[in-house]
Amino acid sequence: MAEYDEQIKKEIEKDFDYVVALRRHFHKYPEIAKEEFKTAAKIKEELDKLGLNHKRVGETGVYAEIHGTKNSAGDGIGADGTSAKGKTLVLRADIDALPIQETHICEYTSTIPNRMHACGHDSHAASLLGAARILAKHTDLFSGTIRLCFQQGEEIGYGARVFVDGGWLDGADRTFGLHAASNVPCGSVVFMEGANNASVDWFKISVKGYPAHVSAPELGVDSVYIASQIVVALQALITRRTSPMDNVLIGVGKITAGDAYNIVAQKAELEGTIRTLNPETRKQMKGQLETLASNIAQSFGGTAEIEWKDFTSVLVNDGKATQEAQNMAFRYLGKDKVITSRKPSLGGDDFAEFIIKVPGVYGYIGTSNPEKKETLAAHHDSMFDIDEESLKVSVGMYVIYSLDYLNL
């Protein structure tokens, strides 16, 4: 055990009610991507109580710094322009909710219609604030600088690049983030080296045909038929154009088309996503999709235009940073509570952009409890909830990793 482990555990127990109250506040008042104004205001309010200066990043992100007072060598400049000594660690928590109507009834059920924290970001924000509260009281335990990034818009692959492009990670030495995991038992954590989450590309295929009466289809160009052929053929890009050993997915989640039941549809739109764990496969699939859609449309007399949005890159945990996190968790939680290998997810997370900018590690905090069925619900499920005992673990991981890394 490190000299500060037991002290921090006591602090976490003491502050547990505070963190739970914060998490429930965020859960009751969820805000979706780019609309997290009241969430950001609450975060700033809590940072004010800690005496920490803060800045808005974009419209709804929040940034703050904690400077250690323990003796260290080396001088630097923080992202907020203040002088700093020692190494710099970036801690990140995403803060946005989802456009979902909550069906789990409890004392902290969402009060905002069609808005819900169904992915655990309420617990992320509360945990990082809980960690900041402890770290701000114990600056004598570390040197260097801790940068707190409360990031907006993760669900749409937006906020991470706002922080990165704005220079808020410039000059940092390490990044560290955590995410709730309903498929991991409460009390356990996951720190796995390598690819953990897939890249996420959104696409829209706009098919253009020509209208006619359905009784004379030869006089028109049927965009519905073309779109249907594209949907079916897209799966062949996976089964026949990529290796069975590759992790890749193409999904179409939305189709809109036509004007009336008896008119050959003159336009159709498909919206979908490509997910992969390999950057080269990602590039290959995008090119093949464009060729396939255009050729199918042309073969039936229509055209197809493709629009892309790059939501996030593949999230690849740095080897050294992952080993640091594993060693920290082994010591603090016990080896039986630390998972170091599991199947990567084809779900994306834009913390990937943080790691690309500055080497780091993204961990997963177990939140499920078989005695509380709502904690077994999948992420983005309207019944989603967490076992709040997991907050003790997430606060601990933020704090102990910070102290370990900055004292290396």
Side-chain angles (χ1 to χ4, degrees), residues 94-97 117 119-126 154-155 179 349:
D94 42 11
I95 65 174
D96 54 324
H117 272 292
C119 200
H121 297 188
D122 51 345
S123 68
H124 305 168
E154 186 280 326
E155 294 290 355
H179 199 292
D349 194 297

Side-chain angles (χ1 to χ4, degrees), residues 70-107:
K70 189 175 181 180
N71 292 334
S72 65
D75 294 327
I77 301 295
D80 63 354
T82 60
S83 62
K85 293 183 177 181
K87 294 183 293 186
T88 297
L89 169 66
V90 175
L91 302 181
R92 176 266 208 172
D94 42 11
I95 65 174
D96 54 324
L98 287 156
I100 294 174
Q101 181 64 46
E102 184 165 15
T103 57
H104 173 227
I105 306 303
C106 58
E107 61 183 285

Side-chain angles (χ1 to χ4, degrees), residues 191-228:
F191 289 111
M192 183 175 74
E193 181 179 350
N196 277 244
N197 294 80
S199 59
V200 178
D201 290 294
W202 170 91
F203 62 81
K204 180 167 71 174
I205 303 174
S206 298
V207 178
K208 293 183 180 180
Y210 192 80
H213 196 281
V214 292
S215 64
E218 75 281 7
L219 300 179
V221 174
D222 192 345
S223 67
V224 167
Y225 184 80
I226 293 171
S228 300

Side-chain angles (χ1 to χ4, degrees), residues 201-205 250-252 270-274 289 307-308:
D201 290 294
W202 170 91
F203 62 81
K204 180 167 71 174
I205 303 174
I250 301 178
V252 175
L270 315 175
E271 291 185 47
T273 182
I274 293 179
L289 184 148
E307 178 185 350
W308 294 97

